[in-house]
Amino acid sequence: MTITVLVPDEHGVAALAGIDGVRAVRYEPGALPDEAAEAEVLVPGFLTADKGSLVAGVPKLRLVQLLTAGAEAWVGTLPEHVMLSTCSGAHGGSTAEWVVAALLTMFRTMREFEDDRRTQTWQMQQTETLQGKRVLVIGSGDLGKQLKRRLDAFDAEVTMVANTAREGVRGVDELPELLPHHDVVALMVPMTPKTRHLANADFLSRMPDGAVLVNAARGPVVDTDALVRELSAGRIRAALDVTDPEPLPPGHPLWTAPGLLLTPHVAGSCTGVHARAYRVIAEQIAQFARGEEPSNLVRGDY
């Protein structure tokens, strides 16, 4: 028995070619091939707009396999019999790398030194260092684990946080106690109803003066208005790869907020992204083809 998988690009066709019992067929949004009538697995593109019509065009669909680790755009949108699986494990390293780059840029004042270069100013100054910084990593999945591994190499002191406490990991209910004692708070959580505005006004107020909030999760995990107030007061700093709203519209106060490093949702957008994503996807689909549940299966809000 052969399972037909619809993929959005040639990377997917090549990645799935060696899996027994799987036939990968490329599709174009809005112009599904004839094979869609028999397809059981759909791999949506990175930016899929019309989910409803796409899913409706695959009548025998049993699994939607995402290219992203985040599933919030798909949770609750599929028929009950259709499974949803993420690409967790593909983008954690790249995202963790972005966090480290952002922190080094801020602590070692790289932007300021670049400004001096433009004005041909030789101005030596002492900077902060990542060494010894107390970093609170909220989220202990692939992204959080990848970040801890990199921060350990820089001799930072890392505290991990998850929904529930376990050995070596603190519980999210301990955040009020933990926040005042950390120099950096890195958000590495999925977007769910529970994590929406996790970093609200009370959360931010508990961070010590001069601390850095890093959001490499999703924009709505942070209460934007509360963050703007803290940044405008100069009390804390932030590094954001995601915002709410997103894209950030012209004139939004985040564009001019002091103490902010901002990038346009590019933490995972780097060379090799397709190879890393399809390596995980191939494993998930191979499991499905063997009659197993994919290991990245989304359950509930995930």
Side-chain angles (χ1 to χ4, degrees):
M1 177 179 175
T2 299
I3 293 173
T4 299
V5 180
L6 298 182
V7 296
D9 49 49
E10 290 302 322
H11 298 285
V13 173
L16 303 182
I19 302 177
D20 290 339
V22 170
R23 176 181 61 158
V25 177
R26 182 175 180 177
Y27 70 93
E28 297 289 342
L32 292 175
D34 293 340
E35 290 87 349
E38 300 298 325
E40 297 181 51
V41 181
L42 170 68
V43 179
F46 275 110
L47 299 174
T48 298
D50 193 352
K51 301 176 182 64
S53 62
L54 181 59
V55 170
V58 190
K60 295 185 178 180
L61 185 64
R62 295 172 55 206
L63 170 68
V64 171
Q65 171 60 56
L66 302 179
L67 282 160
T68 61
E72 70 279 359
W74 286 87
V75 170
T77 69
L78 296 171
E80 290 187 4
H81 69 278
V82 178
M83 294 183 288
L84 179 65
S85 178
T86 74
C87 203
S88 177
H91 310 298
S94 302
T95 302
E97 182 180 84
W98 176 89
V99 174
V100 172
L103 291 174
L104 289 174
T105 297
M106 297 181 76
F107 290 149
R108 301 309 300 265
T109 64
M110 293 302 183
R111 291 179 296 175
E112 291 79 0
F113 286 131
E114 175 61 11
D115 290 341
D116 287 345
R117 184 191 67 80
R118 290 194 179 101
T119 60
Q120 300 185 35
T121 302
W122 188 269
Q123 184 170 289
M124 296 178 65
Q125 60 177 303
Q126 189 177 67
T127 71
E128 295 180 79
T129 175
L130 188 49
Q131 300 170 85
K133 281 288 192 291
R134 301 163 298 175
V135 183
L136 189 65
V137 178
I138 304 178
S140 60
D142 178 58
L143 271 66
K145 292 173 183 175
Q146 293 279 4
L147 178 57
K148 182 182 187 304
R149 184 164 68 86
R150 286 157 176 79
L151 290 172
D152 285 343
F154 282 88
D155 295 326
E157 300 176 12
V158 182
T159 302
M160 302 292 290
V161 174
N163 283 331
T164 55
R166 53 183 182 270
E167 185 177 355
V169 180
R170 308 290 291 270
V172 70
D173 59 312
E174 300 178 73
L175 282 176
E177 170 194 341
L178 294 170
L179 287 166
H181 305 291
H182 287 84
D183 308 297
V184 176
V185 179
L187 301 170
M188 310 292 277
V189 295
M191 181 65 228
T192 71
K194 289 183 179 180
T195 61
R196 181 177 179 81
H197 285 190
L198 172 66
N200 57 20
D202 179 68
F203 179 110
L204 298 173
S205 72
R206 294 176 185 273
M207 294 174 60
D209 292 353
V212 178
L213 177 75
V214 181
N215 189 4
R218 289 293 187 266
V221 173
V222 175
D223 181 336
T224 300
D225 292 341
L227 177 60
V228 167
R229 287 193 294 270
E230 292 282 6
L231 292 174
S232 298
R235 202 186 67 76
I236 65 173
R237 297 170 286 176
L240 307 178
D241 184 52
V242 289
T243 60
D244 182 24
E246 187 178 306
L248 201 62
H252 193 281
L254 279 178
W255 286 117
T256 55
L260 173 64
L261 187 153
L262 177 66
T263 58
H265 205 150
V266 294
S269 298
C270 53
T271 53
V273 62
H274 288 98
R276 288 187 293 273
Y278 277 112
R279 188 159 50 243
V280 173
I281 286 174
E283 178 184 352
Q284 301 298 303
I285 291 177
Q287 292 172 348
F288 178 80
R290 294 194 299 266
E292 305 168 8
E293 288 189 342
S295 53
N296 284 351
L297 195 66
V298 173
R299 303 178 190 278
D301 291 330
Y302 91 111

